[in-house]
Amino acid sequence: MQSSQYSLGSIPAHSRHSSRSTYPSFLSVHDTLLLQLNCAWRGLADSFRWDRAVSAVAYDAELRANVFKSMMLNSLSLTSIYTFDFLLQPLVRDQQKWLHRNVGWFYQLLWLFPVVSVSLYLNSSWCTTIARRTYTIQHGNRALAQQTGSTYTGMLTAIATSAYRAVMVFTSVVVSFALGYIPYVGPVIGFLFLCWVDSYYCFEFLWIARGMSLSRRIRYLEERWAYYLAFGLPSASLCTFGSGLANAALFALIFPAFIIMAMYASPVPVDPYSPVNNTTKSRNTSDHTDTIKHPSPFVPIRIPVFAIVLFINDAIVKVLSVRGHSTGRNRAFSDATENAEEGTMEMNTFSSLSQPTRRFKINSRKRD
């Protein structure tokens, strides 16, 4: 008798429908993979929009001047590198005299390394100017002024951000080379990682201008891994066949164009956790309801691409930081690196062991 009270027929139809509607709806594995392939195709298409870069450079004189300077200096670096690789090195390879054997070292020391170093340094400054100008053309001076400060605090924050960026670039390059030594799958994994790294630095200027913190930038890329993998594919492919210096100079040569294309790109999906909203009609009513379709649990929404890089950066920042006593507060993963990037440092006053650690915040306002 009691079991009949809880039979399916005794439950009202509207209650069964309400319970069913609250249960999450998932896409199939096939549909989720097709969705990721579509995102990858969008990323690849955005990375080939050279017409946007050309039109932006042709439209603005300041943008054109900085791109021209970057192209000229990086072309000089690339020509110097190829001159050594294909001309000088084969000529002096089998020479017996000491001077002839070491002419390559003199060329590298007195010309090649200084030119490449100056080129990379100036290219970093010019690319920042190119990104700022492109962002200003799109959104106006007021939008950029809200994100950048001309005060002493803003200057120190910019210095801290630049220093942390250099550490992250170095760590990413080291991880990319280390992945290549994994047997069998190492070269493929290293190349895929390089695609994501290239995409990150192409979009980094845009994310910083929007006020996104380090954790938000990393999460934004990792949750749209298919799009950014495809966006970084062309630049990574161009910069993997030559020597290390040649690849760096070639990437510096094409980097301004990819920054401009990243400014005009539209990464997808907009919401990785609900990429598809299907409008369905209820059986009992004529009203339209939105059914949220989540990706299949068997296809990852977020891939921790930069987990190793953040772990190494966290260790480097902890080693370089001057720490006092423990504050009794547990830090989340990569908090130290994010504080370093945003200009927050902990310093020991060294005055007395009984005094607590003082914290000097260069930028006390969190952006995230």
Side-chain angles (χ1 to χ4, degrees), residues 90-226:
L91 288 176
V92 301
R93 182 173 300 167
D94 299 325
Q95 296 294 327
Q96 300 298 326
K97 295 183 178 180
W98 180 86
L99 181 61
H100 293 169
R101 291 198 313 267
N102 294 277
V103 67
W105 290 103
F106 288 112
Y107 178 80
Q108 289 180 323
L109 181 63
L110 299 178
W111 173 254
L112 188 57
F113 289 151
V115 169
V116 173
S117 300
V118 172
S119 175
L120 293 177
Y121 173 77
L122 293 178
N123 193 72
S124 176
S125 176
W126 290 333
C127 286
T128 302
T129 304
I130 291 170
R132 288 176 179 272
R133 184 58 184 170
T134 307
Y135 190 84
T136 301
I137 293 173
Q138 286 185 286
H139 305 283
N141 291 320
R142 180 176 298 180
L144 186 61
Q146 292 176 354
Q147 303 297 338
T148 58
S150 58
T151 61
Y152 179 72
T153 301
M155 182 185 66
L156 292 181
T157 303
I159 294 174
T161 302
S162 300
Y164 176 79
R165 188 171 185 269
V167 174
M168 190 168 180
V169 169
F170 174 77
T171 307
S172 300
V173 172
V174 171
V175 171
S176 177
F177 279 108
L179 290 175
Y181 288 98
I182 300 177
Y184 304 110
V185 298
V188 176
I189 296 177
F191 176 75
L192 296 179
F193 178 75
L194 187 61
C195 293
W196 279 309
V197 170
D198 288 355
S199 288
Y200 175 85
Y201 287 109
C202 289
F203 282 86
E204 186 186 32
F205 297 96
L206 175 63
W207 294 334
I208 292 177
R210 290 178 176 176
M212 297 174 64
S213 64
L214 172 66
S215 60
R216 289 182 60 193
R217 299 197 297 266
I218 295 296
R219 183 173 66 248
Y220 192 86
L221 182 143
E222 292 178 344
E223 291 176 347
R224 295 158 182 83
W225 54 269

Side-chain angles (χ1 to χ4, degrees), residues 41 44 46 58-59 72 108 142 153 270 280 282 337 351:
W41 173 252
L44 189 63
D46 285 343
Y59 171 78
M72 293 299 295
Q108 289 180 323
R142 180 176 298 180
T153 301
V270 177
T280 60
S282 176
T337 55
S351 58

